[in-house]
Amino acid sequence: TQLLEQSPQFLSIQEGENLTVYCNSSSVFSSLQWYRQEPGEGPVLLVTVVTGGEVKKLKRLTFQFGDARKDSSLHITAAQPGDTGLYLCVYNQGGKLIFGQGTELSVKP
Amino acid sequence: GAVVSQHPSRVICKSGTSVKIECRSLDFQATTMFWYRQFPKQSLMLMATSNEGSKATYEQGVEKDKFLINHASLTLSTLTVTSAHPEDSSFYICSARGPQNTGELFFGEGSRLTVL
């Protein structure tokens, strides 16, 4: 079983649309991270959420950590083609990263 | 941010040969590096934790004799895929904990291995 369940796994939308990616677990986490990976490259850290109920914004990206610290979401407003990539929900276990299955996002112009 | 570099970025080899992939931390020392494997359209799967000066720790199901890891210095870890077969074709990525102890890991650019 997957520790971190991400949904949806694939998402294809038009430029300008909004979207939300979910990361769920039955476990409680001290923190969760979101990474983005572009084709042929390594993942890059977007944000770390630490406090239950926390909301962090990164331009058009809004990250939320659930009150019970079991889940997180990523909302993108007015998606752009440059947002295309693989979005990964990650638990950092003392430097050892546990990855969700990832959400492959494609934003078409 | 901290830079982690992998080499080669792409390699094609014949079945039965061995391939070595290097992972370097360019501007910081990394006592621990991690090796991941990624299939197309899938997430990263942790293969092993590479520890400088000691044996690597392998994840369950990863053959240590197949995937040899050497972390001989504070800036270099190598992954050698021995007697490679077509099913070993994959994208291999390394990461290292950054120098600031913020919990962020920095990833190499990845190495795409194709075994013919």
Side-chain angles (χ1 to χ4, degrees):
Chain A
T1 55
Q2 192 82 12
L3 179 63
L4 293 169
E5 297 280 349
Q6 270 187 252
S7 62
Q9 287 189 258
F10 300 95
L11 192 54
S12 181
I13 61 172
Q14 292 295 130
E15 181 176 1
E17 290 184 23
N18 301 331
L19 67 115
T20 302
V21 177
Y22 299 94
C23 175
N24 295 297
S25 177
S26 56
S27 300
V28 177
F29 299 103
S30 54
S31 65
L32 281 177
Q33 297 179 317
W34 286 91
Y35 282 76
R36 187 175 97 184
Q37 183 184 24
E38 298 192 24
E41 298 182 13
V44 175
L45 179 66
L46 295 175
V47 78
T48 301
V49 286
V50 179
T51 308
E54 181 177 10
V55 176
K56 282 191 174 178
K57 289 189 181 242
L58 189 66
K59 296 183 181 178
R60 293 176 292 99
L61 278 61
T62 302
F63 303 86
Q64 187 161 6
F65 199 13
D67 291 339
R69 290 185 285 123
K70 291 183 178 183
D71 55 86
S72 182
S73 64
L74 156 61
H75 182 80
I76 301 180
T77 304
Q80 304 293 313
D83 296 327
T84 293
L86 179 67
Y87 289 82
L88 297 155
C89 172
V90 181
Y91 172 52
N92 190 330
Q93 194 176 46
K96 180 174 156 179
L97 298 187
I98 309 298
F99 287 85
Q101 309 102 313
T103 295
E104 184 78 37
L105 171 65
S106 173
V107 182
K108 299 186 186 331
Chain B
V3 178
V4 175
S5 179
Q6 274 183 249
H7 178 80
S9 57
R10 292 179 184 274
V11 56
I12 300 173
C13 70
K14 291 182 178 179
S15 187
T17 60
S18 295
V19 174
K20 181 186 285 188
I21 301 170
E22 294 184 346
C23 178
R24 292 182 186 274
S25 56
L26 295 187
D27 50 3
F28 66 101
Q29 294 181 334
T31 55
T32 303
M33 292 183 175
F34 303 90
W35 285 96
Y36 298 84
R37 183 173 181 176
Q38 185 177 33
F39 291 107
K41 303 293 185 185
Q42 293 188 25
S43 187
L44 283 73
M45 182 192 78
L46 179 65
M47 297 174 67
T49 302
S50 172
N51 304 296
E52 188 270 333
S54 64
K55 290 183 180 179
T57 305
Y58 290 82
E59 294 301 302
Q60 192 173 8
V62 178
E63 298 175 62
K64 61 181 181 182
D65 295 329
K66 172 76 171 173
F67 299 100
L68 298 178
I69 291 173
N70 185 285
H71 196 151
S73 79
L74 286 170
T75 58
L76 174 64
S77 174
T78 60
L79 168 68
T80 301
V81 183
T82 62
S83 187
H85 288 95
E87 58 265 30
D88 298 324
S89 298
S90 190
F91 194 53
Y92 293 88
I93 309 176
C94 70
S95 73
R97 197 177 294 149
Q100 302 288 339
N101 199 29
T102 59
E104 181 176 0
L105 268 77
F106 294 91
F107 287 82
E109 313 94 321
S111 299
R112 181 160 303 284
L113 170 64
T114 303
V115 185
L116 302 176

